[in-house]
Every structure is written in structure tokens, then in C-alpha cells.
Amino acid sequence: MTDEILFEQRGAAGFIILNRPKALNALNHPMVTAMAAKLDEWDKDDSIRHVVVTGAGEKAFCAGGDIRKVYEMKKAGEPGLADFFGDEYVLNARIKAYPKPYISLIDGIVMGGGVGLSVHGRYRAGSEFTLFAMPETGIGFFPDVGGGYFLPRLPHFIGTYCALSAGRLKQADTLAAGILTHAVPRESMPALAKALETTEDVEAVLASFHQDPGASGLMAQASVIESVFSASTVAEIMSRLDAVDSEWAQKTAADIRAKSPTSVHLALEQVRRGADLDFNANMRMEYRIVSRILQGHDFFEGVRAVLVDKDHAPDWQPAHLDQVDSAEIASYFQEPEGGDLALS
């Protein structure tokens, strides 16, 4: 058992504490394995009425998966690069189908793998320090952990905007988009956690701690986001974005053009396909995508540029959005040699 994830029963609640504060609670393979086993155990334990997930420290709930470890495995020639992602995706599906109330208390950064641990549960309460993003296109990856399912189901094509641009959402934005279910001030989080130990009515307790965070800046752009990101191709999205005369549109266009061109095209195809899939079918699709990505260039180059050398000058191949081949993108959705992800 790893001490990087802690489990405690407090009254009728099972608490899961992500315990890597110096690493912003980034999720690694032992944490995934331990959490899956504990959720199975608590599912059968009648003394546990609901599950509460928190992150240690004040900076992050969970800033993502420990993808640098995958990079190091690749460099060392180690096998099993997709194993972490496969187990993580099975955990995401377990959370989505969990029969007991599953509550995430989000205070700080929630990105990538941290989104996968929270957004598929029944309730997500976030503080004023909530900072949400799916930043994967910036490292040559794609918005996985169920992004293909939940992103296209956000209103006004906000999910497509998030998938392509890695746009960052604050508390009011995430609540308005439906990523959060409740907004709770940081100072009230300990009292909320305490109340969840004994309550038999999770929804009522969460409602009693909820405070309106005010207007969402993102929603002020909702009509523009929908008109731009409802386009069916990356080329049309960029054309529409370039035609919008605003600082927000210019910055968003520049952000997308800085990402891996392959990842941008892949993310768009992922969310368009995912809109018509059930959750488990989506996770099988995402496993197909990651199996193919781990054979390519951009992911490892992105991790090198952002997390290893930190020069922030990735050599994307191809280098421009209009150089990405549609047949190449289609190949990411084919069944991998080892077969599809096994989900019940």
C-alpha cells in the first residue's frame, strides 16, 4: 500500500486523500491501483454510505497524471507504457458507475487525471481557488480520462473549446458549465467534510454549504464559443476564430496554434465521436487513442519540452495545423494490437 493515497473511515463516510502535495497530488499507478481496490471494498461495506475525495495541501486537488514516469519508462525501454492509462480508465469507469454517492471536494488545481477522478462522480464541490483545465494538447496528448464523454456534453461547445485550447476555468465558470455541482468557500471546506461524516442526506448538506460564486466570465463568451467551436473541422474553427475581433479570440487562436497540431485534430475528432458514445464505449475509444499515441512522437516531445527540459519549445511533427493528415488521425481510432480495454 502506498502512503501517497490515504483511506480513512470517518463515521459513515469513506475518505480518500490524494497525498502528494509537493507533486500537486499528481496521480501515479500505485495510487490508481490502491484507489480501485478500496472503492471495491467500500462498495461491499454497508457501514460506508458515501465516498469523499480530497487533495492534501492548498494548491491542488489533483493536477493530473504522473506522465513524466511514462516518459522515463519510454527512455529506459521499459514495456507496458499503456498499463497506467488502462488501469486509470478502468478506475474512471468504476467512478462513473459507483452505486454510492461519490463526492469530490476540490480546492485548487484540478486538471487531467484529477478531472477523471472527480467529474464522473455524483457531486463536485469546488472552492474559489478551483482552477480547471484539460491541458493535454499542449504536451502532444489528448483530453483523456473520459474527456471524450463529458466535454461534448457541456453547454455551448465549451467542452470543445477546453479540449482544443486547454482553456482554464475558474470556480464560477466550472459551476456554470456543470463541471462543478456546488461552490463552497475554502474556509467552509473543513466544516463540509465534517458534516459529510454523519449525514444521511448528502445533497442537503452540500446545498447548505453552497454559495453563489457570481457571474462567469467564460459564459460572457458563450455565444462566441458556440458559434466558433460548433464548426466541424479544425480549419473552420480557426477561420471563425480569426474572424472574431476581440482580444479573447486572438489569444484563444494563438493558444491553439501553440499546441501539438496532431493533438488538436485528434481532440476534435475525439469529442465529436464521444458525443454519440456511452461512457464505457468512450473509454475503449480513449484507450485506442492512447495506445497509438504512445507509439508516436509528439507526446514524448511535449513532455520533454514542458516537464523535463522545460524549454517550452516543442518540435511538433507535423508543425502546423494544416499539415495534419486526416487518414493519420483516423488510425488512432483503430483497435490496438493487444485488443480493446476490458470493461465490465
Side-chain angles (χ1 to χ4, degrees), residues 127 169-177 180 213-217 219:
S127 80
L169 279 58
K170 297 181 180 180
Q171 182 194 38
D173 304 324
T174 51
L175 184 69
L180 291 181
S216 160
M219 283 301 170

Side-chain angles (χ1 to χ4, degrees), residues 24 58 75 130 137 201 266 274 292-293:
L24 301 179
E58 292 191 335
K75 288 298 182 183
T130 297
T137 54
D201 191 340
L266 188 55
R292 176 71 173 77
I293 275 184

